[in-house]
Amino acid sequence: KIGDNVTIKNGVYLYDGITIEDNVFIGPNATFCNDKYPKSKNKNFNLERIVIKKGASIGANATILPNVEIGENTVIASQTGIAGCVVIEDEVTLWGQVGTTSGITIGTKAVIMGQTGVTKSVDGGKTYFGTPIEESREKLKQLANVKRIPEIIEKLKQNDK
């Protein structure tokens, strides 16, 4: 099912089981899969669903595996991979080259920065990055401390003299 005012760019193939609500944008070569265990002549094929809610935007070369729900007004940037059995709530932003593991939920208004590996469910209303994923404030503190290691080592050497 495809809603009203939907834009689907070149190289996108839509299969059975995909619901696209109104005002959705799908960029070039975005890929959707409806089979959790794809193999040739699979006699046990089980159609899995994908739901893309109104106002969502999916960038070029994004890959969406089966049994995924993408919330209203969510933005998924280019080259992002969404594993199966994932719920992305409303107004989430996934920057480029984000990848998720299966069976997680990304909360409303969460922001996932580029090249992040989403390995667990995350709360909404916060910004995250890194692999493994962490809230950005905590991750930035850790990175700042790592940069101080040479300085700390030098001070320890001075104290030993």
Side-chain angles (χ1 to χ4, degrees):
K1 178 183 176 229
I2 299 175
D4 293 329
N5 197 33
V6 170
T7 300
I8 301 171
K9 294 297 188 176
N10 60 304
V12 175
Y13 297 93
L14 300 174
Y15 303 100
D16 292 340
I18 298 174
T19 300
I20 301 171
E21 294 184 357
D22 298 342
N23 303 310
V24 168
F25 173 87
I26 300 174
N29 300 310
T31 301
F32 301 90
C33 302
N34 63 1
D35 189 352
K36 194 173 186 179
Y37 304 105
K39 59 183 176 179
S40 180
K41 301 178 184 178
N42 183 358
K43 295 177 185 169
N44 298 315
F45 173 76
N46 184 22
L47 178 68
E48 301 279 347
R49 307 246 175 242
I50 296 173
V51 177
I52 305 168
K53 294 191 175 180
K54 67 181 180 180
S57 180
I58 298 173
N61 297 311
T63 300
I64 314 296
L65 295 184
N67 201 13
V68 168
E69 181 179 305
I70 298 170
E72 291 184 12
N73 301 311
T74 287
V75 176
I76 297 175
S78 297
Q79 297 181 335
T80 291
I82 309 299
C85 304
V86 171
V87 175
I88 301 171
E89 295 181 349
D90 298 341
E91 299 182 38
V92 169
T93 301
L94 303 179
W95 290 94
Q97 296 181 333
V98 167
T100 75
T101 190
S102 62
I104 64 163
T105 298
I106 300 174
T108 299
K109 295 187 178 182
V111 175
I112 312 296
M113 310 231 356
Q115 296 186 332
T116 293
V118 186
T119 55
K120 62 184 179 183
S121 293
V122 294
D123 294 332
K126 297 178 183 177
T127 300
Y128 301 89
F129 78 99
T131 302
I133 189 169
E134 293 186 45
E135 188 178 354
S136 62
R137 285 184 191 172
E138 289 304 312
K139 192 73 163 187
L140 289 172
K141 286 179 191 176
Q142 290 173 5
L143 291 173
N145 287 331
V146 167
K147 286 185 177 184
R148 291 188 58 224
I149 288 174
E151 171 191 336
I152 292 168
I153 290 171
E154 190 59 38
K155 284 183 181 179
L156 289 171
K157 286 180 182 177
Q158 294 299 323
N159 287 339
D160 285 345
K161 289 182 181 180

